[in-house]
């Protein structure tokens, strides 16, 4: 059991992760721009869940949320950056500002959490930080470069900080969920049968939150897929893009009949 703080968990994978972590007896603080769903969870877990309105794009907001979590539950054992902004569009059709917005949430949001939590973890001499990454941050994919670039950036950030903080007893890890049927993924042109169930993914990640591996997946199959993706990134990216296009064409053809 531990004290866990998650940025971005009012819906989707993050919500189900919180639900499962609470079932397992952990204390969880959720920082999000919306907390209505977490407030409902609080009815069943009044002593172990703390919803706090906070914005991943504002350092003071995250810093204040971390302080409240510390005051309420004590030392933070695990800090997770799960906030996500995803844009599904070809580079030619989006401006520089879109890339900045996505990186502000996905990459700099993770860095804001790091800067807020690490001083406490270093003082305690222990802790783990987890960033939610994505396969496209490894392999690439069509019409998703702002999001993919931000995930590639946090992959590198986690590796560097893992090395820098070894002496403090702090470890860094990456969650690697598959493409999942969530609101943030609703804009991607991928048939729904290609998407995993959010509850299954969230529960699986919660169940594996303490494992020592750098890359944490919700299932054995996803773990194997990610190992292959890291070994053959561009091959997988091109293959998945072609497979998705074919599936969409087949779906359109069936709908027109």
């Amino acid at each position: 059991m531990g004290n866990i703080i998650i940025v971005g968990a009012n819906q989707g994978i993050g919500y189900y992760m919180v639900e499962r972590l609470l079932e397992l007896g952990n204390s969880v603080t959720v920082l999000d721009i919306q907390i209505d769903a977490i407030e409902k969870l609080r009815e069943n877990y009044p002593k172990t869940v703390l919803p706090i309105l906070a914005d991943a794009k504002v350092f003071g907001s995250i810093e204040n949320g971390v302080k409240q979590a510390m005051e309420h539950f004590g030392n933070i054992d695990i800090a997770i950056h799960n906030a996500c902004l995803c844009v599904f569009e070809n580079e030619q059709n989006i401006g520089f500002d879109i890339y900045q917005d996505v990186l502000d949430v996905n990459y700099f949001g993770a860095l804001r959490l790091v800067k807020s939590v690490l001083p406490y973890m270093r003082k305690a001499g222990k802790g783990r930080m987890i960033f939610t990454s994505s396969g496209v941050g490894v392999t690439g994919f069509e019409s998703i470069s702002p999001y993919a670039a931000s995930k590639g950036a946090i992959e590198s950030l986690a590796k560097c900080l893992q090395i820098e903080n070894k002496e403090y007893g702090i470890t860094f890890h990456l969650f690697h969920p598959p493409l999942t049927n969530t609101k943030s993924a609703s804009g991607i042109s991928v048939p729904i049968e290609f998407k995993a169930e959010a509850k299954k993914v969230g529960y699986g990640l919660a169940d594996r939150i303490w494992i020592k591996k750098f890359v944490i997946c919700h299932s054995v199959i996803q773990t194997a897929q990610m190992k292959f993706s890291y070994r053959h990134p561009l091959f997988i990216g091109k293959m998945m893009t072609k497979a998705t296009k074919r599936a969409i064409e087949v779906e359109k053809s069936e709908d027109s009949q």
Side-chain angles (χ1 to χ4, degrees):
M1 307 308 147
N3 293 330
I4 302 166
I5 185 167
I6 306 179
V7 178
N10 193 60
Q11 61 182 2
I13 294 171
Y15 171 82
Y16 288 112
M17 196 188 310
V18 172
E19 186 175 72
R20 180 59 174 162
L21 288 170
L22 291 169
E23 286 181 1
L24 294 172
N26 299 282
S27 298
V28 184
T29 301
V30 174
L31 309 185
D32 207 324
I33 55 174
Q34 294 180 321
I35 55 173
D36 54 306
I38 303 301
E39 288 284 8
K40 290 181 181 178
L41 275 180
R42 200 176 192 179
E43 296 174 6
N44 294 324
Y45 302 96
K47 295 182 179 180
T48 54
V49 64
L50 178 64
I52 299 174
L53 282 171
D55 190 341
K57 296 187 293 183
V58 181
F59 178 69
S61 180
I62 298 301
E63 188 177 40
N64 180 61
V66 169
K67 287 180 180 178
Q68 289 187 56
M70 288 285 296
E71 291 170 358
H72 198 82
F73 293 125
N75 284 333
I76 295 168
D77 298 300
I78 303 177
I80 304 168
H81 180 71
N82 187 62
C84 168
L85 178 58
C86 194
V87 175
F88 304 102
E89 187 56 85
N90 189 286
E91 175 272 327
Q92 298 179 66
N93 301 324
I94 53 177
F96 190 81
D97 59 320
I98 298 298
Y99 284 85
Q100 288 181 311
D101 288 344
V102 173
L103 281 162
D104 199 16
V105 174
N106 301 352
Y107 173 76
F108 287 106
L111 190 56
R112 291 180 185 104
L113 182 61
V114 164
K115 291 291 189 181
S116 299
V117 171
L118 277 190
Y120 297 110
M121 287 187 173
R122 290 186 184 121
K123 187 176 181 180
K126 62 178 182 177
R128 60 169 42 200
M129 298 206 66
I130 305 173
F131 303 149
T132 299
S133 190
S134 171
V136 298
V138 177
T139 66
F141 193 77
E142 184 179 61
S143 297
I144 200 170
S145 62
Y147 175 81
S150 71
K151 295 302 183 179
I154 63 171
E155 296 249 338
S156 294
L157 179 65
K159 292 170 187 174
C160 292
L161 297 183
Q162 169 83 304
I163 295 168
E164 292 179 9
N165 288 278
K166 182 179 179 180
E167 64 181 287
Y168 298 102
I170 302 167
T171 60
F172 281 76
H173 309 266
L174 298 170
F175 275 153
H176 257 290
L179 178 61
T180 306
N181 187 20
T182 63
K183 184 178 180 180
S184 62
S186 62
I188 191 170
S189 298
V190 174
I192 194 168
E193 58 266 25
F194 280 30
K195 299 178 181 180
E197 181 187 349
K199 184 175 182 178
K200 184 176 181 180
V201 176
Y203 272 45
L205 291 174
D207 287 341
R208 293 165 176 80
I209 202 168
W210 292 102
I211 68 173
K212 295 181 179 180
K213 293 181 180 179
F214 179 66
V215 174
I216 301 172
C217 300
H218 82 291
S219 69
V220 174
I221 293 175
Q222 179 66 10
T223 299
Q225 289 175 340
M226 283 313 306
K227 284 183 178 179
F228 194 77
S229 295
Y230 274 109
R231 290 173 183 168
H232 308 281
L234 198 53
F235 170 78
I236 295 295
K238 291 178 178 179
M239 182 187 71
M240 290 303 298
T241 299
K242 290 179 181 178
T244 299
K245 285 183 176 180
R246 285 197 297 269
I248 292 171
E249 289 173 1
V250 169
E251 192 173 61
K252 288 181 179 179
S253 176
E254 291 176 348
D255 289 342
S256 64
Q257 293 177 359

Short mmCIF file of all heavy atoms in Angstrom, two decimals, residues 167-225:
data_model
loop_
_atom_site.label_atom_id
_atom_site.label_comp_id
_atom_site.label_asym_id
_atom_site.label_seq_id
_atom_site.Cartn_x
_atom_site.Cartn_y
_atom_site.Cartn_z
N GLU A 167 21.02 7.80 -6.75
CA GLU A 167 21.61 7.92 -5.42
C GLU A 167 20.60 8.29 -4.35
O GLU A 167 20.84 8.11 -3.15
CB GLU A 167 22.73 8.97 -5.43
CG GLU A 167 22.26 10.38 -5.74
CD GLU A 167 23.42 11.38 -5.77
OE1 GLU A 167 23.92 11.70 -4.68
OE2 GLU A 167 23.79 11.81 -6.87
N TYR A 168 19.44 8.80 -4.76
CA TYR A 168 18.40 9.19 -3.80
C TYR A 168 17.38 8.07 -3.55
O TYR A 168 16.43 8.26 -2.79
CB TYR A 168 17.66 10.43 -4.29
CG TYR A 168 18.55 11.65 -4.42
CD1 TYR A 168 19.01 12.07 -5.67
CD2 TYR A 168 18.93 12.39 -3.30
CE1 TYR A 168 19.82 13.19 -5.79
CE2 TYR A 168 19.75 13.51 -3.42
CZ TYR A 168 20.19 13.90 -4.66
OH TYR A 168 20.99 15.01 -4.79
N GLY A 169 17.56 6.95 -4.22
CA GLY A 169 16.61 5.86 -4.05
C GLY A 169 15.30 6.07 -4.80
O GLY A 169 14.28 5.47 -4.47
N ILE A 170 15.33 6.95 -5.81
CA ILE A 170 14.13 7.27 -6.60
C ILE A 170 14.24 6.62 -7.97
O ILE A 170 15.28 6.71 -8.62
CB ILE A 170 13.97 8.80 -6.76
CG1 ILE A 170 13.88 9.48 -5.39
CG2 ILE A 170 12.73 9.12 -7.59
CD1 ILE A 170 14.03 10.98 -5.45
N THR A 171 13.18 5.96 -8.39
CA THR A 171 13.18 5.32 -9.70
C THR A 171 12.14 5.98 -10.62
O THR A 171 11.13 6.53 -10.16
CB THR A 171 12.87 3.82 -9.60
OG1 THR A 171 11.58 3.64 -8.99
CG2 THR A 171 13.92 3.12 -8.76
N PHE A 172 12.40 5.92 -11.91
CA PHE A 172 11.49 6.45 -12.92
C PHE A 172 11.00 5.32 -13.82
O PHE A 172 11.75 4.39 -14.11
CB PHE A 172 12.18 7.53 -13.76
CG PHE A 172 12.26 8.86 -13.07
CD1 PHE A 172 13.17 9.07 -12.05
CD2 PHE A 172 11.40 9.89 -13.43
CE1 PHE A 172 13.23 10.29 -11.39
CE2 PHE A 172 11.46 11.11 -12.78
CZ PHE A 172 12.37 11.31 -11.76
N HIS A 173 9.75 5.44 -14.25
CA HIS A 173 9.13 4.38 -15.04
C HIS A 173 8.19 5.00 -16.08
O HIS A 173 7.79 6.16 -15.97
CB HIS A 173 8.33 3.44 -14.14
CG HIS A 173 9.11 2.93 -12.97
ND1 HIS A 173 9.79 1.74 -12.98
CD2 HIS A 173 9.33 3.49 -11.74
CE1 HIS A 173 10.40 1.58 -11.82
NE2 HIS A 173 10.13 2.62 -11.05
N LEU A 174 7.84 4.18 -17.07
CA LEU A 174 6.89 4.60 -18.11
C LEU A 174 5.72 3.64 -18.15
O LEU A 174 5.91 2.42 -18.21
CB LEU A 174 7.57 4.61 -19.48
CG LEU A 174 8.75 5.55 -19.68
CD1 LEU A 174 9.44 5.25 -21.01
CD2 LEU A 174 8.29 7.01 -19.65
N PHE A 175 4.52 4.16 -18.09
CA PHE A 175 3.34 3.36 -18.40
C PHE A 175 3.20 3.33 -19.92
O PHE A 175 3.33 4.38 -20.58
CB PHE A 175 2.07 4.00 -17.83
CG PHE A 175 1.78 3.67 -16.40
CD1 PHE A 175 1.06 4.54 -15.60
CD2 PHE A 175 2.19 2.47 -15.84
CE1 PHE A 175 0.76 4.24 -14.29
CE2 PHE A 175 1.90 2.16 -14.51
CZ PHE A 175 1.19 3.05 -13.74
N HIS A 176 2.94 2.15 -20.47
CA HIS A 176 2.73 2.05 -21.91
C HIS A 176 1.40 1.36 -22.19
O HIS A 176 1.35 0.16 -22.48
CB HIS A 176 3.88 1.29 -22.57
CG HIS A 176 4.84 2.18 -23.29
ND1 HIS A 176 4.51 2.86 -24.46
CD2 HIS A 176 6.09 2.55 -23.00
CE1 HIS A 176 5.53 3.58 -24.85
NE2 HIS A 176 6.51 3.43 -23.99
N PRO A 177 0.30 2.09 -22.11
CA PRO A 177 -1.00 1.50 -22.45
C PRO A 177 -1.12 1.35 -23.97
O PRO A 177 -0.46 2.05 -24.73
CB PRO A 177 -2.00 2.53 -21.92
CG PRO A 177 -1.26 3.83 -22.02
CD PRO A 177 0.17 3.51 -21.71
N PRO A 178 -1.96 0.43 -24.43
CA PRO A 178 -2.23 0.31 -25.85
C PRO A 178 -3.19 1.43 -26.28
O PRO A 178 -3.65 2.20 -25.43
CB PRO A 178 -2.90 -1.06 -25.96
CG PRO A 178 -3.65 -1.18 -24.67
CD PRO A 178 -2.76 -0.52 -23.63
N LEU A 179 -3.48 1.51 -27.56
CA LEU A 179 -4.52 2.43 -28.02
C LEU A 179 -5.82 2.01 -27.33
O LEU A 179 -6.24 0.86 -27.42
CB LEU A 179 -4.68 2.35 -29.53
CG LEU A 179 -5.79 3.23 -30.14
CD1 LEU A 179 -5.54 4.70 -29.85
CD2 LEU A 179 -5.90 2.98 -31.63
N THR A 180 -6.43 2.95 -26.62
CA THR A 180 -7.56 2.62 -25.74
C THR A 180 -8.79 3.45 -26.10
O THR A 180 -8.67 4.59 -26.55
CB THR A 180 -7.17 2.87 -24.27
OG1 THR A 180 -5.95 2.16 -23.99
CG2 THR A 180 -8.23 2.39 -23.32
N ASN A 181 -9.94 2.89 -25.89
CA ASN A 181 -11.20 3.56 -26.20
C ASN A 181 -11.53 4.60 -25.12
O ASN A 181 -12.26 4.32 -24.17
CB ASN A 181 -12.33 2.54 -26.31
CG ASN A 181 -13.63 3.16 -26.80
OD1 ASN A 181 -13.63 4.23 -27.40
ND2 ASN A 181 -14.74 2.50 -26.54
N THR A 182 -10.95 5.79 -25.26
CA THR A 182 -11.15 6.89 -24.31
C THR A 182 -11.56 8.15 -25.07
O THR A 182 -11.45 8.21 -26.30
CB THR A 182 -9.87 7.18 -23.52
OG1 THR A 182 -8.84 7.60 -24.43
CG2 THR A 182 -9.39 5.94 -22.76
N LYS A 183 -11.97 9.15 -24.33
CA LYS A 183 -12.36 10.42 -24.95
C LYS A 183 -11.19 11.07 -25.68
O LYS A 183 -11.34 11.60 -26.78
CB LYS A 183 -12.89 11.38 -23.87
CG LYS A 183 -13.41 12.70 -24.43
CD LYS A 183 -13.98 13.58 -23.32
CE LYS A 183 -14.49 14.90 -23.89
NZ LYS A 183 -15.05 15.77 -22.81
N SER A 184 -10.01 11.01 -25.08
CA SER A 184 -8.84 11.64 -25.70
C SER A 184 -8.42 10.95 -26.99
O SER A 184 -7.79 11.56 -27.85
CB SER A 184 -7.66 11.65 -24.72
OG SER A 184 -7.27 10.34 -24.38
N ALA A 185 -8.80 9.68 -27.15
CA ALA A 185 -8.44 8.93 -28.36
C ALA A 185 -9.58 8.86 -29.36
O ALA A 185 -9.46 8.21 -30.40
CB ALA A 185 -8.00 7.51 -27.98
N SER A 186 -10.68 9.54 -29.06
CA SER A 186 -11.86 9.44 -29.91
C SER A 186 -11.66 10.09 -31.29
O SER A 186 -12.34 9.74 -32.25
CB SER A 186 -13.06 10.10 -29.23
OG SER A 186 -12.83 11.48 -28.99
N GLY A 187 -10.72 11.01 -31.38
CA GLY A 187 -10.51 11.70 -32.65
C GLY A 187 -9.64 10.98 -33.65
O GLY A 187 -9.54 11.39 -34.81
N ILE A 188 -8.99 9.90 -33.23
CA ILE A 188 -8.10 9.19 -34.13
C ILE A 188 -8.90 8.28 -35.06
O ILE A 188 -9.86 7.63 -34.66
CB ILE A 188 -7.05 8.36 -33.34
CG1 ILE A 188 -5.97 7.84 -34.28
CG2 ILE A 188 -7.70 7.23 -32.56
CD1 ILE A 188 -4.78 7.24 -33.56
N SER A 189 -8.51 8.26 -36.32
CA SER A 189 -9.24 7.48 -37.33
C SER A 189 -8.82 6.02 -37.29
O SER A 189 -8.15 5.51 -38.20
CB SER A 189 -8.97 8.07 -38.73
OG SER A 189 -9.43 9.40 -38.81
N VAL A 190 -9.22 5.36 -36.24
CA VAL A 190 -8.92 3.94 -36.04
C VAL A 190 -10.22 3.24 -35.65
O VAL A 190 -10.94 3.73 -34.78
CB VAL A 190 -7.86 3.75 -34.93
CG1 VAL A 190 -7.67 2.27 -34.63
CG2 VAL A 190 -6.53 4.37 -35.35
N PRO A 191 -10.55 2.13 -36.30
CA PRO A 191 -11.77 1.39 -35.93
C PRO A 191 -11.79 1.04 -34.46
O PRO A 191 -10.75 0.73 -33.87
CB PRO A 191 -11.68 0.13 -36.80
CG PRO A 191 -10.87 0.54 -37.99
CD PRO A 191 -9.85 1.50 -37.44
N ILE A 192 -12.96 1.07 -33.85
CA ILE A 192 -13.09 0.87 -32.41
C ILE A 192 -12.60 -0.51 -31.97
O ILE A 192 -12.12 -0.69 -30.86
CB ILE A 192 -14.55 1.09 -31.95
CG1 ILE A 192 -14.60 1.21 -30.41
CG2 ILE A 192 -15.46 -0.02 -32.47
CD1 ILE A 192 -15.93 1.71 -29.90
N GLU A 193 -12.67 -1.48 -32.88
CA GLU A 193 -12.21 -2.83 -32.51
C GLU A 193 -10.69 -2.89 -32.33
O GLU A 193 -10.17 -3.86 -31.78
CB GLU A 193 -12.66 -3.86 -33.55
CG GLU A 193 -12.19 -3.60 -34.97
CD GLU A 193 -13.22 -2.83 -35.78
OE1 GLU A 193 -14.04 -2.11 -35.17
OE2 GLU A 193 -13.20 -2.96 -37.01
N PHE A 194 -9.99 -1.85 -32.78
CA PHE A 194 -8.54 -1.78 -32.59
C PHE A 194 -8.19 -1.24 -31.20
O PHE A 194 -7.03 -1.28 -30.80
CB PHE A 194 -7.91 -0.86 -33.64
CG PHE A 194 -7.70 -1.49 -34.99
CD1 PHE A 194 -8.53 -2.49 -35.46
CD2 PHE A 194 -6.66 -1.07 -35.80
CE1 PHE A 194 -8.36 -3.06 -36.71
CE2 PHE A 194 -6.46 -1.63 -37.06
CZ PHE A 194 -7.31 -2.64 -37.51
N LYS A 195 -9.20 -0.73 -30.48
CA LYS A 195 -8.94 -0.06 -29.20
C LYS A 195 -9.25 -0.96 -28.01
O LYS A 195 -10.24 -1.69 -28.01
CB LYS A 195 -9.79 1.22 -29.11
CG LYS A 195 -9.49 2.24 -30.21
CD LYS A 195 -10.39 3.46 -30.11
CE LYS A 195 -10.11 4.46 -31.21
NZ LYS A 195 -10.98 5.66 -31.13
N ALA A 196 -8.41 -0.87 -27.00
CA ALA A 196 -8.60 -1.66 -25.78
C ALA A 196 -9.65 -1.00 -24.87
O ALA A 196 -9.97 0.18 -25.02
CB ALA A 196 -7.28 -1.79 -25.04
N GLU A 197 -10.15 -1.78 -23.93
CA GLU A 197 -11.13 -1.27 -22.97
C GLU A 197 -10.42 -0.50 -21.86
O GLU A 197 -9.46 -0.98 -21.25
CB GLU A 197 -11.90 -2.45 -22.36
CG GLU A 197 -12.96 -2.06 -21.36
CD GLU A 197 -13.58 -3.26 -20.67
OE1 GLU A 197 -13.33 -4.39 -21.12
OE2 GLU A 197 -14.29 -3.05 -19.67
N ALA A 198 -10.88 0.72 -21.59
CA ALA A 198 -10.22 1.60 -20.62
C ALA A 198 -10.13 0.98 -19.23
O ALA A 198 -9.11 1.09 -18.55
CB ALA A 198 -10.94 2.94 -20.55
N LYS A 199 -11.20 0.33 -18.79
CA LYS A 199 -11.20 -0.26 -17.45
C LYS A 199 -10.16 -1.37 -17.34
O LYS A 199 -9.43 -1.45 -16.34
CB LYS A 199 -12.59 -0.81 -17.11
CG LYS A 199 -12.68 -1.36 -15.69
CD LYS A 199 -14.11 -1.78 -15.35
CE LYS A 199 -14.20 -2.29 -13.91
NZ LYS A 199 -15.61 -2.65 -13.56
N LYS A 200 -10.08 -2.20 -18.35
CA LYS A 200 -9.11 -3.30 -18.34
C LYS A 200 -7.69 -2.77 -18.29
O LYS A 200 -6.84 -3.29 -17.56
CB LYS A 200 -9.31 -4.17 -19.58
CG LYS A 200 -8.42 -5.40 -19.61
CD LYS A 200 -8.73 -6.26 -20.83
CE LYS A 200 -7.85 -7.51 -20.85
NZ LYS A 200 -8.15 -8.36 -22.04
N VAL A 201 -7.42 -1.72 -19.05
CA VAL A 201 -6.07 -1.14 -19.09
C VAL A 201 -5.75 -0.46 -17.76
O VAL A 201 -4.68 -0.67 -17.18
CB VAL A 201 -5.94 -0.13 -20.24
CG1 VAL A 201 -4.57 0.55 -20.21
CG2 VAL A 201 -6.13 -0.83 -21.58
N GLY A 202 -6.69 0.36 -17.26
CA GLY A 202 -6.46 1.06 -15.99
C GLY A 202 -6.25 0.12 -14.83
O GLY A 202 -5.34 0.31 -14.01
N TYR A 203 -7.06 -0.93 -14.74
CA TYR A 203 -6.92 -1.92 -13.66
C TYR A 203 -5.59 -2.66 -13.79
O TYR A 203 -4.91 -2.93 -12.79
CB TYR A 203 -8.08 -2.91 -13.70
CG TYR A 203 -9.29 -2.48 -12.91
CD1 TYR A 203 -9.79 -1.17 -13.00
CD2 TYR A 203 -9.96 -3.36 -12.07
CE1 TYR A 203 -10.91 -0.78 -12.29
CE2 TYR A 203 -11.08 -2.98 -11.35
CZ TYR A 203 -11.56 -1.68 -11.46
OH TYR A 203 -12.66 -1.29 -10.74
N GLY A 204 -5.22 -3.01 -15.03
CA GLY A 204 -3.99 -3.74 -15.25
C GLY A 204 -2.77 -2.94 -14.84
O GLY A 204 -1.83 -3.48 -14.22
N LEU A 205 -2.75 -1.65 -15.17
CA LEU A 205 -1.63 -0.80 -14.78
C LEU A 205 -1.57 -0.63 -13.26
O LEU A 205 -0.49 -0.63 -12.67
CB LEU A 205 -1.75 0.56 -15.46
CG LEU A 205 -1.54 0.57 -16.98
CD1 LEU A 205 -1.84 1.94 -17.56
CD2 LEU A 205 -0.12 0.14 -17.34
N ALA A 206 -2.73 -0.47 -12.63
CA ALA A 206 -2.77 -0.33 -11.16
C ALA A 206 -2.22 -1.59 -10.49
O ALA A 206 -1.49 -1.51 -9.50
CB ALA A 206 -4.20 -0.07 -10.70
N ASP A 207 -2.57 -2.75 -11.03
CA ASP A 207 -2.10 -4.01 -10.45
C ASP A 207 -0.59 -4.19 -10.57
O ASP A 207 0.03 -4.91 -9.79
CB ASP A 207 -2.79 -5.19 -11.13
CG ASP A 207 -4.26 -5.34 -10.73
OD1 ASP A 207 -4.64 -4.78 -9.68
OD2 ASP A 207 -5.02 -5.99 -11.47
N ARG A 208 0.02 -3.50 -11.56
CA ARG A 208 1.45 -3.67 -11.82
C ARG A 208 2.27 -2.43 -11.43
O ARG A 208 3.43 -2.30 -11.80
CB ARG A 208 1.66 -3.97 -13.31
CG ARG A 208 1.10 -5.32 -13.73
CD ARG A 208 0.98 -5.45 -15.24
NE ARG A 208 0.54 -6.78 -15.64
CZ ARG A 208 -0.73 -7.19 -15.61
NH1 ARG A 208 -1.68 -6.36 -15.18
NH2 ARG A 208 -1.05 -8.40 -15.97
N ILE A 209 1.66 -1.56 -10.65
CA ILE A 209 2.28 -0.25 -10.39
C ILE A 209 3.59 -0.34 -9.61
O ILE A 209 4.41 0.57 -9.67
CB ILE A 209 1.27 0.67 -9.66
CG1 ILE A 209 1.65 2.14 -9.85
CG2 ILE A 209 1.14 0.30 -8.19
CD1 ILE A 209 0.57 3.10 -9.43
N TRP A 210 3.80 -1.43 -8.89
CA TRP A 210 5.00 -1.56 -8.07
C TRP A 210 6.11 -2.36 -8.72
O TRP A 210 7.18 -2.53 -8.12
CB TRP A 210 4.66 -2.20 -6.71
CG TRP A 210 3.80 -1.33 -5.84
CD1 TRP A 210 2.46 -1.43 -5.62
CD2 TRP A 210 4.23 -0.20 -5.07
NE1 TRP A 210 2.03 -0.45 -4.76
CE2 TRP A 210 3.10 0.32 -4.40
CE3 TRP A 210 5.47 0.42 -4.87
CZ2 TRP A 210 3.15 1.43 -3.56
CZ3 TRP A 210 5.53 1.53 -4.02
CH2 TRP A 210 4.39 2.01 -3.38
N ILE A 211 5.92 -2.88 -9.91
CA ILE A 211 6.96 -3.71 -10.51
C ILE A 211 8.19 -2.86 -10.83
O ILE A 211 8.09 -1.65 -11.04
CB ILE A 211 6.46 -4.46 -11.78
CG1 ILE A 211 6.17 -3.50 -12.92
CG2 ILE A 211 5.26 -5.31 -11.46
CD1 ILE A 211 5.86 -4.21 -14.22
N LYS A 212 9.34 -3.50 -10.90
CA LYS A 212 10.60 -2.78 -11.02
C LYS A 212 10.98 -2.41 -12.45
O LYS A 212 11.92 -1.64 -12.66
CB LYS A 212 11.73 -3.62 -10.40
CG LYS A 212 11.58 -3.82 -8.90
CD LYS A 212 12.72 -4.65 -8.33
CE LYS A 212 12.56 -4.83 -6.83
NZ LYS A 212 13.69 -5.63 -6.26
N LYS A 213 10.30 -2.95 -13.44
CA LYS A 213 10.65 -2.69 -14.83
C LYS A 213 10.50 -1.21 -15.18
O LYS A 213 9.61 -0.53 -14.67
CB LYS A 213 9.78 -3.53 -15.76
CG LYS A 213 10.04 -5.02 -15.66
CD LYS A 213 9.15 -5.78 -16.63
CE LYS A 213 9.42 -7.28 -16.54
NZ LYS A 213 8.53 -8.05 -17.46
N PHE A 214 11.35 -0.73 -16.06
CA PHE A 214 11.28 0.66 -16.52
C PHE A 214 10.00 0.90 -17.31
O PHE A 214 9.32 1.91 -17.11
CB PHE A 214 12.51 0.98 -17.38
CG PHE A 214 12.53 2.39 -17.91
CD1 PHE A 214 12.65 3.48 -17.05
CD2 PHE A 214 12.43 2.64 -19.27
CE1 PHE A 214 12.67 4.78 -17.53
CE2 PHE A 214 12.45 3.93 -19.77
CZ PHE A 214 12.58 5.00 -18.89
N VAL A 215 9.65 -0.02 -18.17
CA VAL A 215 8.40 0.06 -18.95
C VAL A 215 7.36 -0.85 -18.32
O VAL A 215 7.60 -2.05 -18.15
CB VAL A 215 8.64 -0.34 -20.42
CG1 VAL A 215 7.31 -0.40 -21.18
CG2 VAL A 215 9.59 0.65 -21.10
N ILE A 216 6.23 -0.28 -17.96
CA ILE A 216 5.16 -1.02 -17.31
C ILE A 216 3.93 -1.06 -18.23
O ILE A 216 3.42 -0.02 -18.64
CB ILE A 216 4.77 -0.37 -15.97
CG1 ILE A 216 5.98 -0.30 -15.03
CG2 ILE A 216 3.62 -1.14 -15.30
CD1 ILE A 216 5.74 0.49 -13.76
N CYS A 217 3.48 -2.25 -18.55
CA CYS A 217 2.29 -2.43 -19.40
C CYS A 217 1.19 -3.14 -18.62
O CYS A 217 1.46 -3.75 -17.59
CB CYS A 217 2.65 -3.25 -20.64
SG CYS A 217 3.92 -2.51 -21.69
N HIS A 218 -0.01 -3.07 -19.12
CA HIS A 218 -1.14 -3.63 -18.39
C HIS A 218 -1.29 -5.14 -18.57
O HIS A 218 -2.06 -5.78 -17.85
CB HIS A 218 -2.44 -2.94 -18.80
CG HIS A 218 -3.04 -3.47 -20.08
ND1 HIS A 218 -2.45 -3.28 -21.32
CD2 HIS A 218 -4.16 -4.20 -20.30
CE1 HIS A 218 -3.19 -3.86 -22.25
NE2 HIS A 218 -4.22 -4.43 -21.66
N SER A 219 -0.58 -5.71 -19.56
CA SER A 219 -0.73 -7.13 -19.84
C SER A 219 0.56 -7.70 -20.41
O SER A 219 1.44 -6.95 -20.88
CB SER A 219 -1.87 -7.37 -20.84
OG SER A 219 -1.50 -6.86 -22.12
N VAL A 220 0.67 -9.00 -20.41
CA VAL A 220 1.84 -9.69 -20.97
C VAL A 220 1.92 -9.45 -22.48
O VAL A 220 3.01 -9.22 -23.02
CB VAL A 220 1.76 -11.21 -20.68
CG1 VAL A 220 2.89 -11.95 -21.39
CG2 VAL A 220 1.81 -11.47 -19.19
N ILE A 221 0.77 -9.47 -23.15
CA ILE A 221 0.75 -9.26 -24.59
C ILE A 221 1.25 -7.86 -24.95
O ILE A 221 2.06 -7.68 -25.86
CB ILE A 221 -0.67 -9.48 -25.16
CG1 ILE A 221 -1.06 -10.96 -25.03
CG2 ILE A 221 -0.75 -9.04 -26.61
CD1 ILE A 221 -2.48 -11.26 -25.45
N GLN A 222 0.79 -6.86 -24.23
CA GLN A 222 1.23 -5.49 -24.49
C GLN A 222 2.72 -5.32 -24.21
O GLN A 222 3.42 -4.60 -24.92
CB GLN A 222 0.41 -4.50 -23.65
CG GLN A 222 0.80 -3.03 -23.82
CD GLN A 222 0.51 -2.48 -25.21
OE1 GLN A 222 -0.15 -3.14 -26.02
NE2 GLN A 222 0.99 -1.29 -25.49
N THR A 223 3.22 -6.01 -23.19
CA THR A 223 4.64 -5.97 -22.88
C THR A 223 5.46 -6.50 -24.05
O THR A 223 6.47 -5.91 -24.45
CB THR A 223 4.95 -6.80 -21.62
OG1 THR A 223 4.23 -6.26 -20.51
CG2 THR A 223 6.43 -6.80 -21.30
N ALA A 224 5.02 -7.62 -24.63
CA ALA A 224 5.71 -8.22 -25.78
C ALA A 224 5.65 -7.29 -26.99
O ALA A 224 6.64 -7.13 -27.72
CB ALA A 224 5.09 -9.57 -26.12
N GLN A 225 4.49 -6.66 -27.20
CA GLN A 225 4.35 -5.75 -28.33
C GLN A 225 5.27 -4.54 -28.19
O GLN A 225 5.88 -4.10 -29.18
CB GLN A 225 2.89 -5.28 -28.43
CG GLN A 225 1.94 -6.37 -28.89
CD GLN A 225 0.48 -5.93 -28.87
OE1 GLN A 225 0.11 -4.97 -28.20
NE2 GLN A 225 -0.36 -6.64 -29.60
#
